[in-house]
Amino acid sequence: MKLTGNTILMTGGGSGIGQALAHRLHEAGNTVIVAGRRKDALESAIAGRPNMHALTLDIESAEGIADFSDRLLKAYPDLNVVINNAGIMRFEDLTKAHDLTDAEATITTNLLGPIRLINALTDHLVKQQDAVIINVTSGLAFVPLTTTPTYNATKAAIHSYTIALREVLKGKVEVIELAPPAVQTGLTPGQETRPGYQPLDEFSDEVMALLSQQPTPPEILVERVRFLRFAEANGQFDDTLVKLNAFAAQARNG
């Protein structure tokens, strides 16, 4: 991936990892479009930044994504990089029957949303120079947090989908997976300052350094996520599962 001179779409760009990386990419010399549900958050993210733009996107709606892609390509026909970052994380209790509203919303946002958006933009991207799709997954795609089972499952599914997409678009569109560790963002209540989670600026610095490598790695893995990504391959899955969930419980309750 070239790091400058792109026209980049960042979904979920109004806060957290999406906003931080959108700012870094903008500072690197790219035109950046941030997209999300909340217009006020998007406008705040682009304030004072020429060549940074905002478009509202209802990632839960098939019709909304179709409308968004039409508006996007009409306004920014040079679009060549799509970063699927929008996502939600909800806690669930699997020990008893419970309302599945959160699980269904998680699947729609985290899994169907990126699939629908990629489908809407593929015909355009394959015609572009230096075209790239980056799908944001999670370290929890590889070792699950038991309190967020549907979130983990959607990220594992996007990991698999990304592998298939990379293979079929080889030579046409570069396909990259970004798997963050636990980062200090607003993804869940209190997470912005949670001890033991990676500071957002530190994470963003590391991601940009990895993206600048030539060739760009197909998986962007900061140091803190590598123990999850390779736990099974290293024969440490069971131990990592126990330690991860103990750490997460202590961090939330500490």
Side-chain angles (χ1 to χ4, degrees):
M1 175 182 174
K2 66 172 187 174
L3 266 196
T4 191
N6 300 294
T7 300
I8 301 173
L9 170 68
M10 173 73 73
T11 69
S15 61
I17 286 172
Q19 178 179 296
L21 292 180
H23 285 172
R24 298 300 177 92
L25 290 164
H26 177 254
E27 290 158 6
N30 298 287
T31 298
V32 180
I33 306 106
V34 292
R37 292 187 183 91
R38 296 186 298 128
K39 187 175 181 179
D40 57 339
L42 298 174
E43 293 293 341
S44 177
I46 68 172
R49 291 177 173 266
N51 290 326
M52 197 163 177
H53 311 277
L55 284 177
T56 54
L57 165 63
D58 180 8
I59 198 70
E60 290 192 27
S61 162
E63 295 78 12
I65 289 173
D67 171 71
F68 170 81
S69 64
D70 287 343
R71 289 185 285 122
L72 174 70
L73 295 180
K74 285 176 182 175
Y76 307 101
D78 293 332
L79 178 78
N80 69 305
V81 178
V82 174
I83 305 178
N84 286 299
N85 167 74
I88 59 174
M89 184 180 197
R90 304 281 170 80
F91 294 102
E92 301 170 69
D93 181 359
L94 299 188
T95 64
K96 57 187 177 183
H98 59 286
D99 189 312
L100 293 178
T101 299
D102 281 344
E104 291 166 358
T106 301
I107 292 167
T108 302
T109 299
N110 296 5
L111 181 57
L112 284 177
I115 290 173
R116 286 167 171 164
L117 187 59
I118 290 166
N119 184 62
L121 297 176
T122 297
D123 287 348
H124 170 81
L125 290 172
V126 297
K127 299 174 185 175
Q128 298 297 104
Q129 291 284 333
D130 303 307
V132 181
I133 295 171
I134 301 178
N135 291 332
V136 178
T137 60
S138 170
L140 302 181
F142 308 103
V143 181
L145 192 63
T146 57
T147 52
T148 58
T150 305
Y151 175 86
N152 313 328
T154 60
K155 295 302 185 177
I158 289 293
H159 165 70
S160 178
Y161 191 89
T162 301
I163 293 171
L165 188 68
R166 182 182 299 125
E167 189 64 22
V168 299
L169 293 182
K170 189 179 295 183
K172 299 176 182 178
V173 179
E174 186 176 3
V175 178
I176 298 168
E177 178 178 355
L178 167 59
V183 180
Q184 290 179 338
T185 70
L187 184 61
T188 63
Q191 189 170 316
E192 293 97 331
T193 57
R194 192 163 290 155
Y197 284 38
Q198 185 168 25
L200 182 56
D201 282 346
E202 178 185 295
F203 169 77
S204 301
D205 287 342
E206 206 171 340
V207 169
M208 292 301 292
L210 291 166
L211 285 174
S212 70
Q213 293 180 3
Q214 294 298 324
T216 307
E219 294 182 359
I220 302 299
L221 304 170
V222 302
E223 193 59 36
R224 289 198 188 202
V225 82
R226 295 179 71 85
F227 80 105
L228 296 173
R229 174 64 181 94
F230 301 113
E232 187 167 15
N234 293 337
Q236 298 173 334
F237 182 87
D238 291 344
D239 184 57
T240 303
L241 177 65
V242 171
K243 288 180 177 177
L244 168 71
N245 282 279
F247 162 77
Q250 182 178 15
R252 287 196 308 274
N253 300 323

